[in-house]
Amino acid sequence: MPVLVMKFGGTSVANLDRIRRAAKRVGVEVAKGYDVIVIVSAMSGETNKLVGYVDETSPLYDAREYDAVVSSGENVTAGLMALTLQEMDVPARSWQGWQVPLKTTSAHSQARIEEIPTDNINAKFGEGMRVAVVAGFQGISEEGRITTLGRGGSDTTAVAFAAAFDAERCDIYTDVDGVYTTDPRVCQKARKLDKIAFEEMLELASLGAKVLQTRSVELAMRYKVKLRVLSSFEEQSDEAGTLVCDEEEIMESNVVSGVAFSRDEAKMTLLSVADRPGIASIIFGCLSDAGVNVDMIVQNISEDGRTDMTYSLPTDQVKRADQALAELKSSGGLNFAELVIDEDVAKVSVVGIGMRSQSGVAAKMFKVLSDEGINIKVITTSEIKISVLVDRKYLELAVQALHDAFELEKA
Protein backbone atom coordinates (compact mmCIF):
# COMPACT_ATOMS: atom_id res chain seq x y z
CA MET A 1 0.00 0.00 0.00
CA PRO A 2 1.18 3.59 -0.53
CA VAL A 3 2.71 5.26 2.53
CA LEU A 4 1.71 8.65 3.89
CA VAL A 5 3.62 10.48 6.63
CA MET A 6 1.61 12.75 8.96
CA LYS A 7 3.33 14.92 11.57
CA PHE A 8 1.47 16.55 14.46
CA GLY A 9 3.13 19.38 16.36
CA GLY A 10 2.79 20.18 20.05
CA THR A 11 -0.32 22.35 19.76
CA SER A 12 -2.00 19.64 17.66
CA VAL A 13 -1.57 17.08 20.47
CA ALA A 14 -1.76 19.48 23.44
CA ASN A 15 -4.43 17.45 25.26
CA LEU A 16 -6.50 14.29 24.89
CA ASP A 17 -9.24 16.01 22.89
CA ARG A 18 -6.72 17.25 20.35
CA ILE A 19 -5.07 13.82 20.18
CA ARG A 20 -8.52 12.35 19.40
CA ARG A 21 -9.04 14.96 16.68
CA ALA A 22 -5.62 14.18 15.18
CA ALA A 23 -6.36 10.44 15.36
CA LYS A 24 -9.59 10.97 13.38
CA ARG A 25 -7.54 12.65 10.62
CA VAL A 26 -5.24 9.64 10.58
CA GLY A 27 -8.26 7.33 10.37
CA VAL A 28 -9.51 9.20 7.30
CA GLU A 29 -6.21 8.55 5.50
CA VAL A 30 -6.20 4.87 6.52
CA ALA A 31 -9.70 4.56 5.03
CA LYS A 32 -8.32 5.94 1.75
CA GLY A 33 -5.95 2.97 1.59
CA TYR A 34 -2.72 4.39 3.00
CA ASP A 35 -0.32 2.81 5.44
CA VAL A 36 0.39 5.78 7.69
CA ILE A 37 3.48 6.77 9.65
CA VAL A 38 2.49 9.35 12.25
CA ILE A 39 5.27 11.49 13.78
CA VAL A 40 4.29 13.20 17.02
CA SER A 41 5.80 15.98 19.10
CA ALA A 42 5.49 16.28 22.86
CA MET A 43 2.32 17.92 24.15
CA SER A 44 2.50 21.71 23.97
CA GLY A 45 4.71 23.08 26.77
CA GLU A 46 5.91 19.64 27.88
CA THR A 47 9.45 19.92 26.45
CA ASN A 48 9.97 23.32 28.11
CA LYS A 49 8.86 21.80 31.43
CA LEU A 50 11.31 18.91 31.04
CA VAL A 51 14.16 21.24 30.09
CA GLY A 52 13.35 23.28 33.22
CA TYR A 53 13.62 20.15 35.37
CA VAL A 54 17.06 19.42 33.92
CA ASP A 55 18.32 22.98 34.41
CA GLU A 56 17.09 23.02 38.01
CA THR A 57 18.63 19.63 38.78
CA SER A 58 21.99 20.12 37.08
CA PRO A 59 22.96 23.48 35.55
CA LEU A 60 26.10 21.88 34.03
CA TYR A 61 24.23 18.79 32.90
CA ASP A 62 25.41 15.64 31.15
CA ALA A 63 24.01 16.07 27.60
CA ARG A 64 23.30 12.32 27.38
CA GLU A 65 21.00 12.46 30.40
CA TYR A 66 19.44 15.69 29.10
CA ASP A 67 18.40 13.79 25.97
CA ALA A 68 17.04 10.91 28.04
CA VAL A 69 14.80 13.33 29.94
CA VAL A 70 13.58 15.70 27.20
CA SER A 71 12.83 12.90 24.70
CA SER A 72 10.29 11.37 27.10
CA GLY A 73 7.59 13.89 26.15
CA GLU A 74 7.30 12.45 22.65
CA ASN A 75 7.10 8.91 24.05
CA VAL A 76 4.00 9.83 26.06
CA THR A 77 2.27 11.37 23.03
CA ALA A 78 3.12 8.39 20.81
CA GLY A 79 1.62 5.93 23.30
CA LEU A 80 -1.54 8.00 23.77
CA MET A 81 -2.00 8.40 20.00
CA ALA A 82 -1.60 4.63 19.45
CA LEU A 83 -4.13 3.88 22.22
CA THR A 84 -6.60 6.37 20.73
CA LEU A 85 -6.31 4.78 17.27
CA GLN A 86 -6.77 1.31 18.77
CA GLU A 87 -9.99 2.54 20.42
CA MET A 88 -11.10 3.53 16.89
CA ASP A 89 -10.36 -0.06 15.70
CA VAL A 90 -7.37 1.14 13.66
CA PRO A 91 -4.42 -1.30 14.02
CA ALA A 92 -1.66 0.91 15.44
CA ARG A 93 1.34 0.76 17.72
CA SER A 94 3.86 3.25 19.05
CA TRP A 95 7.55 3.31 18.20
CA GLN A 96 10.31 5.04 20.10
CA GLY A 97 13.37 6.15 18.15
CA TRP A 98 15.53 3.22 19.29
CA GLN A 99 12.87 0.70 18.24
CA VAL A 100 12.84 1.78 14.59
CA PRO A 101 15.87 2.23 14.98
CA LEU A 102 16.46 5.83 13.87
CA LYS A 103 20.25 6.00 13.82
CA THR A 104 21.94 9.34 14.54
CA THR A 105 25.30 10.90 15.28
CA SER A 106 26.41 11.17 18.91
CA ALA A 107 26.05 14.98 19.10
CA HIS A 108 23.57 15.00 21.98
CA SER A 109 20.78 17.62 21.85
CA GLN A 110 21.69 18.40 18.23
CA ALA A 111 22.18 14.99 16.63
CA ARG A 112 21.83 14.47 12.89
CA ILE A 113 20.05 11.53 11.29
CA GLU A 114 22.33 8.98 9.63
CA GLU A 115 19.98 6.14 8.68
CA ILE A 116 16.38 4.95 9.06
CA PRO A 117 16.14 1.21 8.32
CA THR A 118 12.65 0.33 7.07
CA ASP A 119 12.62 -3.40 7.86
CA ASN A 120 10.99 -3.34 11.32
CA ILE A 121 8.10 -1.05 10.45
CA ASN A 122 7.53 -2.61 7.02
CA ALA A 123 7.39 -6.05 8.65
CA LYS A 124 4.63 -4.84 10.96
CA PHE A 125 2.76 -3.28 8.04
CA GLY A 126 2.97 -6.68 6.40
CA GLU A 127 1.41 -8.25 9.51
CA GLY A 128 -1.60 -5.93 9.41
CA MET A 129 -0.50 -2.81 11.30
CA ARG A 130 -1.95 0.23 9.51
CA VAL A 131 -0.41 3.04 11.56
CA ALA A 132 3.08 3.37 13.03
CA VAL A 133 3.08 6.17 15.61
CA VAL A 134 6.70 7.29 15.93
CA ALA A 135 8.05 9.56 18.65
CA GLY A 136 9.60 12.51 16.82
CA PHE A 137 12.73 14.47 17.74
CA GLN A 138 14.67 11.42 18.93
CA GLY A 139 16.98 8.64 17.80
CA ILE A 140 19.77 6.40 19.01
CA SER A 141 23.54 6.86 18.72
CA GLU A 142 26.11 4.25 17.77
CA GLU A 143 26.87 3.94 21.49
CA GLY A 144 23.26 2.96 22.17
CA ARG A 145 22.30 6.22 23.91
CA ILE A 146 19.07 8.17 23.28
CA THR A 147 19.73 11.33 21.23
CA THR A 148 17.60 14.33 20.28
CA LEU A 149 17.67 16.36 17.08
CA GLY A 150 17.30 19.90 18.47
CA ARG A 151 14.23 22.11 18.69
CA GLY A 152 11.87 21.54 15.78
CA GLY A 153 13.42 18.12 15.26
CA SER A 154 10.06 16.39 14.79
CA ASP A 155 9.70 18.16 11.41
CA THR A 156 13.06 16.70 10.41
CA THR A 157 12.02 13.27 11.67
CA ALA A 158 8.88 13.39 9.52
CA VAL A 159 10.68 14.36 6.32
CA ALA A 160 13.40 11.76 6.93
CA PHE A 161 10.76 9.02 7.31
CA ALA A 162 9.01 10.20 4.15
CA ALA A 163 12.30 9.91 2.27
CA ALA A 164 13.22 6.53 3.76
CA PHE A 165 9.80 4.97 3.04
CA ASP A 166 9.35 6.71 -0.34
CA ALA A 167 6.11 8.22 0.97
CA GLU A 168 3.62 9.76 -1.40
CA ARG A 169 3.61 12.93 0.69
CA CYS A 170 4.55 14.32 4.09
CA ASP A 171 1.77 16.33 5.79
CA ILE A 172 2.85 18.68 8.59
CA TYR A 173 -0.08 19.57 10.85
CA THR A 174 0.40 22.70 12.92
CA ASP A 175 -1.53 25.66 14.34
CA VAL A 176 -1.50 27.62 11.06
CA ASP A 177 -3.28 26.66 7.86
CA GLY A 178 -0.29 27.04 5.55
CA VAL A 179 2.63 29.24 4.55
CA TYR A 180 1.79 32.93 4.24
CA THR A 181 3.38 35.76 2.28
CA THR A 182 4.35 37.17 5.68
CA ASP A 183 3.21 36.90 9.29
CA PRO A 184 -0.54 37.74 9.37
CA ARG A 185 -0.08 39.16 12.87
CA VAL A 186 2.16 41.88 11.43
CA CYS A 187 0.44 42.43 8.08
CA GLN A 188 -3.31 41.90 7.79
CA LYS A 189 -3.04 41.61 4.01
CA ALA A 190 -0.86 38.50 4.25
CA ARG A 191 -2.09 35.77 1.89
CA LYS A 192 -1.81 32.00 2.17
CA LEU A 193 0.25 30.47 -0.63
CA ASP A 194 -1.11 27.39 -2.42
CA LYS A 195 2.40 26.33 -3.46
CA ILE A 196 5.94 27.43 -2.67
CA ALA A 197 9.27 26.17 -4.02
CA PHE A 198 11.70 24.33 -1.74
CA GLU A 199 14.35 27.03 -2.17
CA GLU A 200 11.93 29.80 -1.24
CA MET A 201 10.71 27.91 1.82
CA LEU A 202 14.30 27.23 2.87
CA GLU A 203 15.14 30.92 2.69
CA LEU A 204 11.97 31.93 4.52
CA ALA A 205 12.59 29.35 7.27
CA SER A 206 16.20 30.45 7.75
CA LEU A 207 15.21 34.14 7.75
CA GLY A 208 12.66 33.96 10.54
CA ALA A 209 9.50 32.21 9.29
CA LYS A 210 8.53 29.72 12.03
CA VAL A 211 6.29 27.37 10.03
CA LEU A 212 8.91 24.70 9.22
CA GLN A 213 12.28 23.85 10.71
CA THR A 214 15.15 24.68 8.32
CA ARG A 215 16.72 21.22 8.39
CA SER A 216 13.41 19.59 7.46
CA VAL A 217 13.16 21.76 4.33
CA GLU A 218 16.78 20.96 3.41
CA LEU A 219 16.00 17.24 3.63
CA ALA A 220 12.79 17.59 1.65
CA MET A 221 14.62 19.45 -1.12
CA ARG A 222 17.44 16.91 -1.25
CA TYR A 223 15.17 13.86 -1.42
CA LYS A 224 12.31 15.51 -3.39
CA VAL A 225 9.77 14.90 -0.61
CA LYS A 226 6.48 16.68 -1.21
CA LEU A 227 5.62 18.64 1.93
CA ARG A 228 2.18 19.96 2.79
CA VAL A 229 1.63 22.38 5.69
CA LEU A 230 -1.89 22.17 7.16
CA SER A 231 -3.89 23.32 10.15
CA SER A 232 -4.97 20.77 12.75
CA PHE A 233 -7.94 22.92 13.64
CA GLU A 234 -9.74 23.39 10.32
CA GLU A 235 -11.67 21.14 7.98
CA GLN A 236 -9.45 19.78 5.23
CA SER A 237 -9.79 19.26 1.51
CA ASP A 238 -7.30 17.68 -0.88
CA GLU A 239 -6.13 21.20 -1.85
CA ALA A 240 -5.88 22.53 1.73
CA GLY A 241 -2.74 24.07 3.16
CA THR A 242 0.44 24.93 1.29
CA LEU A 243 2.39 22.46 -0.84
CA VAL A 244 6.18 22.82 -0.70
CA CYS A 245 7.50 21.32 -3.93
CA ASP A 246 9.95 21.57 -6.83
CA GLU A 247 10.11 24.85 -8.69
CA GLU A 248 9.03 23.01 -11.87
CA GLU A 249 5.65 22.19 -10.29
CA ILE A 250 4.78 25.89 -9.97
CA MET A 251 3.38 27.20 -13.24
CA GLU A 252 3.98 30.91 -12.73
CA SER A 253 6.02 32.41 -9.91
CA ASN A 254 5.76 35.92 -8.54
CA VAL A 255 9.00 37.86 -8.52
CA VAL A 256 8.73 38.03 -4.72
CA SER A 257 6.86 35.28 -2.85
CA GLY A 258 7.21 36.45 0.73
CA VAL A 259 8.58 38.89 3.27
CA ALA A 260 10.37 37.33 6.24
CA PHE A 261 11.69 39.02 9.34
CA SER A 262 13.58 38.38 12.55
CA ARG A 263 13.16 40.69 15.53
CA ASP A 264 15.88 39.31 17.77
CA GLU A 265 18.92 40.54 15.86
CA ALA A 266 21.97 42.51 16.99
CA LYS A 267 24.75 44.24 15.09
CA MET A 268 28.41 44.26 16.12
CA THR A 269 31.18 46.36 14.57
CA LEU A 270 34.89 45.89 15.23
CA LEU A 271 36.51 49.27 14.62
CA SER A 272 40.05 49.62 13.24
CA VAL A 273 41.05 46.02 12.64
CA ALA A 274 44.28 45.24 10.77
CA ASP A 275 43.51 44.79 7.05
CA ARG A 276 45.62 41.74 6.25
CA PRO A 277 45.13 38.16 5.03
CA GLY A 278 43.65 35.87 7.69
CA ILE A 279 42.05 38.54 9.86
CA ALA A 280 38.50 37.46 8.99
CA SER A 281 39.45 33.86 9.75
CA ILE A 282 40.69 34.89 13.20
CA ILE A 283 37.56 36.91 14.03
CA PHE A 284 34.94 34.46 12.81
CA GLY A 285 36.90 31.42 13.93
CA CYS A 286 36.85 32.87 17.46
CA LEU A 287 33.09 33.50 17.24
CA SER A 288 32.46 30.01 15.84
CA ASP A 289 34.41 28.41 18.67
CA ALA A 290 32.24 30.37 21.11
CA GLY A 291 29.07 28.99 19.49
CA VAL A 292 28.02 32.31 17.93
CA ASN A 293 25.92 32.14 14.73
CA VAL A 294 27.00 35.05 12.55
CA ASP A 295 24.78 36.05 9.65
CA MET A 296 25.26 39.27 7.64
CA ILE A 297 28.88 40.41 7.23
CA VAL A 298 30.19 43.69 5.81
CA GLN A 299 33.81 44.89 5.65
CA ASN A 300 34.58 48.56 5.09
CA ILE A 301 37.13 49.89 2.60
CA SER A 302 40.62 49.81 4.05
CA GLU A 303 42.31 53.04 5.08
CA ASP A 304 45.92 53.24 6.33
CA GLY A 305 46.00 49.45 6.64
CA ARG A 306 42.99 49.35 8.99
CA THR A 307 39.36 48.39 8.35
CA ASP A 308 36.03 47.95 10.17
CA MET A 309 34.19 44.64 10.30
CA THR A 310 30.39 44.55 10.85
CA TYR A 311 28.21 41.48 11.31
CA SER A 312 24.80 40.50 12.67
CA LEU A 313 23.99 37.81 15.23
CA PRO A 314 21.09 36.71 17.48
CA THR A 315 20.60 38.99 20.49
CA ASP A 316 20.92 36.10 22.94
CA GLN A 317 24.48 35.47 21.72
CA VAL A 318 25.79 39.02 22.16
CA LYS A 319 27.33 38.47 25.60
CA ARG A 320 29.04 35.30 24.42
CA ALA A 321 30.48 37.09 21.38
CA ASP A 322 31.57 40.11 23.43
CA GLN A 323 33.38 37.92 25.94
CA ALA A 324 35.06 35.79 23.27
CA LEU A 325 36.41 38.84 21.39
CA ALA A 326 37.54 40.52 24.63
CA GLU A 327 39.51 37.39 25.57
CA LEU A 328 41.00 37.22 22.08
CA LYS A 329 42.10 40.86 22.31
CA SER A 330 43.60 40.50 25.81
CA SER A 331 45.58 37.45 24.70
CA GLY A 332 47.10 39.43 21.80
CA GLY A 333 45.32 37.40 19.14
CA LEU A 334 43.44 40.39 17.73
CA ASN A 335 43.91 44.14 17.89
CA PHE A 336 40.97 46.50 17.44
CA ALA A 337 40.12 49.99 18.69
CA GLU A 338 36.54 49.39 19.85
CA LEU A 339 33.63 46.97 19.69
CA VAL A 340 30.34 48.77 18.97
CA ILE A 341 27.17 46.81 19.79
CA ASP A 342 23.64 47.67 18.63
CA GLU A 343 20.99 45.36 20.10
CA ASP A 344 18.01 47.31 18.74
CA VAL A 345 17.89 46.12 15.12
CA ALA A 346 15.77 43.70 13.07
CA LYS A 347 16.30 41.83 9.82
CA VAL A 348 13.76 42.13 6.99
CA SER A 349 14.03 40.04 3.83
CA VAL A 350 12.21 39.62 0.53
CA VAL A 351 12.34 36.14 -1.04
CA GLY A 352 11.36 34.84 -4.47
CA ILE A 353 12.66 32.52 -7.18
CA GLY A 354 11.38 35.07 -9.70
CA MET A 355 14.32 37.32 -8.79
CA ARG A 356 16.57 35.11 -10.90
CA SER A 357 15.01 36.39 -14.09
CA GLN A 358 13.87 39.88 -13.11
CA SER A 359 16.03 42.92 -12.40
CA GLY A 360 15.19 45.91 -10.26
CA VAL A 361 13.99 44.10 -7.13
CA ALA A 362 16.75 45.53 -4.94
CA ALA A 363 16.23 49.04 -6.28
CA LYS A 364 12.50 48.81 -5.63
CA MET A 365 13.01 47.46 -2.10
CA PHE A 366 15.49 50.20 -1.19
CA LYS A 367 13.24 52.94 -2.59
CA VAL A 368 10.24 51.65 -0.63
CA LEU A 369 12.23 51.74 2.60
CA SER A 370 13.64 55.16 1.75
CA ASP A 371 10.16 56.57 1.08
CA GLU A 372 9.14 55.39 4.56
CA GLY A 373 12.18 57.08 6.14
CA ILE A 374 13.77 53.76 7.08
CA ASN A 375 17.57 53.72 7.09
CA ILE A 376 19.34 50.53 5.99
CA LYS A 377 22.28 49.51 8.19
CA VAL A 378 23.48 46.32 6.45
CA ILE A 379 22.56 44.60 3.16
CA THR A 380 23.13 41.03 1.99
CA THR A 381 21.83 39.27 -1.10
CA SER A 382 21.62 35.86 -2.69
CA GLU A 383 20.14 34.67 -5.97
CA ILE A 384 16.61 34.60 -4.55
CA LYS A 385 16.66 36.88 -1.50
CA ILE A 386 17.61 40.37 -0.31
CA SER A 387 18.02 41.02 3.41
CA VAL A 388 18.47 44.33 5.22
CA LEU A 389 19.13 45.27 8.82
CA VAL A 390 17.02 48.20 10.09
CA ASP A 391 16.14 49.78 13.43
CA ARG A 392 13.75 47.44 15.23
CA LYS A 393 11.12 50.17 15.74
CA TYR A 394 10.59 50.21 11.96
CA LEU A 395 10.11 46.45 11.58
CA GLU A 396 6.31 46.37 11.18
CA LEU A 397 6.34 49.43 8.93
CA ALA A 398 9.02 47.89 6.69
CA VAL A 399 7.17 44.55 6.38
CA GLN A 400 3.84 46.19 5.56
CA ALA A 401 5.37 48.62 3.05
CA LEU A 402 7.26 45.88 1.21
CA HIS A 403 4.22 43.57 1.21
CA ASP A 404 2.18 46.37 -0.39
CA ALA A 405 4.89 47.40 -2.87
CA PHE A 406 5.32 43.88 -4.26
CA GLU A 407 1.52 43.33 -4.23
CA LEU A 408 1.80 40.08 -2.34
CA GLU A 409 -1.86 40.13 -1.41
CA LYS A 410 -2.63 39.28 -5.05
CA ALA A 411 -2.53 35.68 -6.21
Side-chain angles (χ1 to χ4, degrees), residues 177-197:
D177 61 347
V179 180
Y180 279 73
T181 49
T182 195
D183 190 332
R185 292 169 296 185
V186 170
C187 180
Q188 292 183 349
K189 295 180 182 178
R191 174 179 58 86
K192 184 177 73 68
L193 298 165
D194 294 327
K195 291 184 178 181
I196 187 169

Side-chain angles (χ1 to χ4, degrees), residues 285-316:
C286 164
L287 294 172
S288 175
D289 291 342
V292 176
N293 297 316
V294 173
D295 183 19
M296 311 165 84
I297 301 172
V298 175
Q299 183 174 350
N300 286 350
I301 296 172
S302 176
E303 186 175 342
D304 299 326
R306 311 294 289 183
T307 187
D308 302 332
M309 192 79 75
T310 298
Y311 53 90
S312 68
L313 70 165
T315 51
D316 61 1

Side-chain angles (χ1 to χ4, degrees), residues 174-197 200-205 207-212 228-231 234 236 240-244 254 256-261 349-352 399 403 407-410:
T174 180
D175 53 1
V176 295
D177 61 347
V179 180
Y180 279 73
T181 49
T182 195
D183 190 332
R185 292 169 296 185
V186 170
C187 180
Q188 292 183 349
K189 295 180 182 178
R191 174 179 58 86
K192 184 177 73 68
L193 298 165
D194 294 327
K195 291 184 178 181
I196 187 169
E200 291 174 319
M201 190 66 245
L202 188 57
E203 290 283 11
L204 289 171
L207 293 167
K210 307 294 185 185
V211 180
L212 287 171
R228 193 168 62 149
V229 180
L230 303 138
S231 169
E234 295 186 3
Q236 306 297 352
T242 299
L243 186 67
V244 188
N254 289 338
V256 171
S257 294
V259 180
F261 60 87
S349 310
V350 295
V351 174
V399 171
H403 197 278
E407 300 182 322
L408 298 185
E409 72 279 6
K410 297 179 182 178

